Amino acid sequence: MHKAVRSLVVSLSVAVSVVASAGVASAATWSSSDKWATWSNGGYTIRNDVWGSGAGPQTIWANSYSNWGVWSDQPNTGGVKSYPHSAKNVGKKLSALGKVSSSFGVSRPGSGAYETAYDIWADNNAYETMLWMNKQGAVGPLGSKQATATVGGHTWDVYRGSNGSNAVFSFVRTSNTNAGTVDVLAVLNWIRARGWFGDVTLGEVQFGFEITSSAGGLDFAANSYSVTTS
């Protein structure tokens, strides 16, 4: 190859590389590496939520409440480090609701320890209901298994326990899925029918990734997420 042509090719390659890197860095509408970073969009709140002991760095990005993700580098130690999520506040009693439905779709790594989960709060955070849509690695729910139930469009192993601050009900899907729709109100009414709580006021319906470890840095993304109520 002629020296001048070769130099031009190298220069162009470097320029393309720089532009591509800049494009990746600036692709998202919003991003932050602050562990408590929040962003409001379309009536939802997105949070980085790096809260666990010994947590490592995590960068969250979002184009909207339904399209967001994180790069997370959490050490290979026990205990939850972070729960990056998108949240929709409902603020109504179960008896006043005719529908609470949610759809989601994610891209997730095949290593690490985490679950993709809804975290649903009621009565000023006195009650926490988790819906585990998939899990990877050494993770497990709080409490003891109470039942296997088909409700809300899925089949779950149901656990009941406490984290010391609030009651926790964990619905762990019997097989992993990366996309689907959940009848959240049906799940909450199933809990109510068992007498585990009453006509509670539904607070936030959160959806995200509860990350225990992702050593070296792993990418998690919500490609779609929405909550519909009536």
Side-chain angles (χ1 to χ4, degrees), residues 46-94:
I46 296 174
R47 302 183 180 99
N48 205 20
D49 201 9
V50 183
W51 63 268
S53 176
Q58 180 170 286
T59 299
I60 191 166
W61 58 266
N63 293 312
S64 69
Y65 66 84
S66 63
N67 175 220
W68 62 274
V70 295
W71 174 87
S72 187
D73 184 4
Q74 303 306 326
N76 189 21
T77 55
V80 175
K81 309 304 189 306
S82 67
Y83 178 59
H85 63 270
S86 179
K88 176 74 169 180
N89 188 58
V90 178
K92 292 183 179 180
K93 286 189 173 292
L94 297 186

Side-chain angles (χ1 to χ4, degrees), residues 41-47 65 85-92 100-102 118-121 184 202-207 225-229:
N41 175 259
Y44 294 70
T45 303
I46 296 174
R47 302 183 180 99
Y65 66 84
H85 63 270
S86 179
K88 176 74 169 180
N89 188 58
V90 178
K92 292 183 179 180
V100 183
S101 179
S102 181
Y118 285 87
D119 207 3
I120 301 162
W121 298 89
V184 174
L202 178 57
E204 284 195 344
V205 177
Q206 304 172 348
F207 175 77
Y225 169 61
S226 63
V227 178
T228 304
T229 65

Side-chain angles (χ1 to χ4, degrees), residues 101-133:
S101 179
S102 181
S103 296
F104 70 94
V106 300
S107 299
R108 62 189 183 92
S111 60
Y114 65 89
E115 76 272 358
T116 300
Y118 285 87
D119 207 3
I120 301 162
W121 298 89
D123 269 12
N124 255 346
N125 299 346
Y127 300 102
E128 179 181 8
T129 301
M130 298 200 74
L131 310 180
W132 290 29
M133 308 315 300

Side-chain angles (χ1 to χ4, degrees), residues 12-39:
L12 285 173
S13 297
V14 170
V16 168
S17 177
V18 169
V19 171
S21 298
V24 169
S26 62
T29 302
W30 170 78
S31 66
S32 177
S33 297
D34 187 306
K35 65 180 183 178
W36 303 119
T38 66
W39 185 58

